[in-house]
Amino acid sequence: MSKAITKSSPFTLDEELVHALVLLAEAAGQEILSFYGQKAAVWEKGDSSPLTAADLASHQIIQRGLKGLASHVPLLSEESAPMDDAERLSWSTYWLVDPLDGTKEFLNRNGEFTVNIALIENQYPCFGIVHVPVHGLTYVGQGGKGAFRMDANHIKTSLSVAEIASDPLRVLGSRSHPAPDLDAYLVQQGSIVMEPVGSSLKFCRVAEGTADLYPRFGPTSEWDTAAGQAVLEAAGGRVVDLQGRRLRYNHKVSLLNPFFLAFGDLGRNWLPCQEGY
């Protein structure tokens, strides 16, 4: 385990700390798998999204682990207790976590759920981990250092986006959240092959070059996207809103994201034409 970072020590995402964070994500994933396949009690949160004991157990493991690794860095998790907005908005550096992204996929037992841990600095994700418990895969991205995929034996494979989009376009959509407004945008993109994929795996698929575009024309929260954005951007891609601005975090009271586009080919104009949209 990496030496704990306290307020008096410098905060550096070195190789030792990154490894410790990967182990933490894996531990949370193993805890989730202990619930997988069982008949799960499901509660409904205020936004009507589902909550299970697996979400809460993963949150507790990550919360304890991050406190041990970097005790002075605040944490915002999907399962955090309500906090003061003014205090949160004052954070320049913090962890942003979704302990179980894709709870509906978890309940449907299709394997497409993840553990997401991101580090936000000055409103943008500089580091992210997306762990896929069922497959033992972990995606890691760090600004300036690139992105890689790690298998269950910790063998690394570098990630790079497809720099030139395919024809037809390989487009990923949400398995659990269809968006009727998406159709008008996709008509503008020409020939496409659409594939439904759950959770933040969509960012990872674009990051590894097996998909070209993930357009999201439906509601997401900041913890849904931060880790995946870090991975994709470190692999050479972008995540932008519909005006072309890089998706940013913790700059407003609401934690909802705008609609966004995640893509690999930087030479193509992905923004929607306003006419007919």
Side-chain angles (χ1 to χ4, degrees), residues 106-218:
F106 171 81
L107 292 169
N108 291 334
R109 303 178 187 177
N110 65 20
E112 294 179 352
F113 54 89
T114 60
V115 175
N116 298 346
I117 301 175
L119 182 67
I120 308 298
E121 286 190 342
N122 299 318
Q123 300 184 348
Y124 295 102
C126 64
F127 173 81
I129 291 176
V130 176
H131 176 62
V132 192
V134 166
H135 302 294
L137 294 175
T138 306
Y139 295 82
V140 179
Q142 185 173 355
K145 294 191 175 181
F148 61 86
R149 181 181 63 240
M150 180 183 290
D151 68 14
N153 296 315
H154 286 192
I155 297 173
K156 297 179 181 179
T157 302
S158 295
L159 299 181
S160 181
V161 299
E163 295 182 356
I164 299 177
S166 299
D167 185 12
L169 282 179
R170 300 165 298 173
V171 180
L172 303 179
S174 175
R175 190 180 294 281
S176 299
H177 303 279
D181 292 343
L182 183 60
D183 293 342
Y185 171 75
L186 292 177
V187 166
Q188 300 173 3
Q189 303 308 311
S191 179
I192 68 167
V193 175
M194 189 78 174
E195 180 183 356
V197 177
S199 73
S200 56
L201 276 170
K202 294 182 284 294
F203 292 101
C204 299
R205 289 280 305 277
V206 178
E208 65 189 5
T210 58
D212 300 302
L213 172 66
Y214 164 35
R216 186 57 180 255
F217 286 60

Side-chain angles (χ1 to χ4, degrees), residues 1-14 16-18 20-21 63-73 95:
M1 180 65 73
S2 178
K3 181 180 177 182
I5 297 171
T6 64
K7 199 165 188 176
S8 60
S9 61
F11 183 72
T12 304
L13 271 170
D14 57 19
E16 183 183 8
L17 180 55
V18 170
L21 290 165
Q63 183 179 52
R64 288 194 302 267
L66 291 178
K67 187 174 182 180
L69 290 170
S71 59
H72 69 291
V73 179
W95 301 108

Side-chain angles (χ1 to χ4, degrees), residues 31-111:
E31 184 68 14
I32 290 170
L33 290 179
S34 72
F35 295 88
Y36 195 49
Q38 300 179 16
K39 187 175 181 180
V42 183
W43 301 276
E44 188 174 281
K45 296 194 285 190
D47 61 357
S48 298
S49 62
L51 173 68
T52 71
D55 296 80
L56 298 175
S58 177
H59 166 77
Q60 292 297 326
I61 286 176
I62 295 171
Q63 183 179 52
R64 288 194 302 267
L66 291 178
K67 187 174 182 180
L69 290 170
S71 59
H72 69 291
V73 179
L75 165 66
L76 175 62
S77 165
E78 181 175 11
E79 311 310 337
S80 291
M83 62 183 65
D84 180 72
D85 290 328
E87 177 187 353
R88 169 177 60 82
L89 289 167
S90 72
W91 296 344
S92 60
T93 301
Y94 68 101
W95 301 108
L96 182 55
V97 169
D98 191 341
L100 201 175
D101 181 33
T103 301
K104 290 182 179 179
E105 278 62 50
F106 171 81
L107 292 169
N108 291 334
R109 303 178 187 177
N110 65 20

